[in-house]
Amino acid sequence: ASRGGGTVALVPTMGALHSGHLALVAAAKARADFVVMSIFVNPLQFGASEDLERYPRQLDADAKLAAMAGVDLLFAPMVEEIYPPGVVLEHPKPGPVGELFEGANRPGHFGGMLTVVNRLFDLVKPDFAVFGTKDAQQLFLVRQLSVERNRAGKRHIEVVPLETVRESEGLALSSRNRYLTAS
Ligand code: PAF
């Protein structure tokens, strides 16, 4: 979609923002007139024994960081807004690539990820969507989703990849790094 004739970029996140997310915003701003960031801890992409409950949530701090980075609109929906009861949702299939690597260890993860990204694409209708290359498999599957959406006649969304941002020692930035100890 365009807002007032301009282009829109979406930066999808699960919040607990760090410099990697802010680099995604900078890339979005370099391409589009209007930047939307979503913050949504998507229950569908967490397995039963994973960290859904303890995943860091800090919306007030994130809103300040997003505003400072130049996000024009912060979309932080409730679960019921993304998955309204009674509404039949599309569940894009990850296909064979989704069975490999991380997909082999986290059954259902990539399907849940694609469901929410597809939903965000439908709701926000961006021209661009910016994703880090840190999760290369996720990036591949989102690109595949974008191609499938084109085939289905939906508007084109350019998936923009961005290089991983790392700590000085080389560790890739992640909201989950706070679970780690020094050792
Ligand atoms: O990479 C993430 O933070 C999530 O998988 C995403 C793309 C925001 C979907 O929930």
Side-chain angles (χ1 to χ4, degrees):
S2 58
R3 307 285 189 277
T7 51
V8 176
L10 171 65
V11 179
T13 81
M14 299 205 302
L17 301 180
H18 51 65
S19 310
H21 295 115
L22 303 182
L24 299 178
V25 173
K29 287 182 73 65
R31 276 183 194 251
D33 303 305
F34 193 91
V35 174
V36 179
M37 173 186 275
S38 61
I39 295 184
F40 181 65
V41 181
N42 172 34
L44 287 195
Q45 69 187 77
F46 287 77
S49 59
E50 293 184 11
D51 57 341
L52 174 61
E53 297 305 326
R54 69 189 279 240
Y55 195 87
R57 290 164 173 87
Q58 47 171 61
L59 188 54
D60 289 348
D62 283 351
K64 288 189 184 112
L65 286 170
M68 277 165 52
V71 167
D72 297 294
L73 189 143
L74 183 62
F75 179 45
M78 309 291 286
V79 173
E80 302 74 38
E81 292 173 88
I82 294 291
Y83 304 126
V87 171
V88 180
L89 296 168
E90 290 175 11
H91 293 283
K93 297 275 174 293
V97 172
E99 304 294 319
L100 304 171
F101 312 123
E102 187 179 359
N105 292 301
R106 301 182 73 190
H109 167 69
F110 284 125
M113 179 279 293
L114 286 176
T115 297
V116 79
V117 169
N118 190 51
R119 184 89 178 109
L120 290 167
F121 282 4
D122 282 344
L123 291 169
V124 177
K125 301 179 176 54
D127 301 285
F128 305 98
V130 189
F131 287 80
T133 50
K134 180 180 70 174
D135 191 337
Q137 201 174 1
Q138 169 172 279
L139 175 63
F140 179 94
L141 294 171
V142 170
R143 282 180 153 151
Q144 179 177 275
L145 172 70
S146 176
V147 170
E148 284 164 6
R149 288 173 56 93
N150 287 349
R151 283 204 198 106
K154 294 193 180 185
R155 61 174 292 111
H156 177 66
I157 298 172
E158 185 181 335
V159 177
V160 178
L162 198 76
E163 202 173 319
T164 305
V165 178
R166 296 177 185 278
E167 304 278 5
S168 51
E169 324 85 69
L171 179 67
L173 296 191
S174 166
S175 306
R176 287 184 167 108
N177 286 355
R178 64 188 72 191
Y179 300 159
L180 303 175
T181 61
S183 60

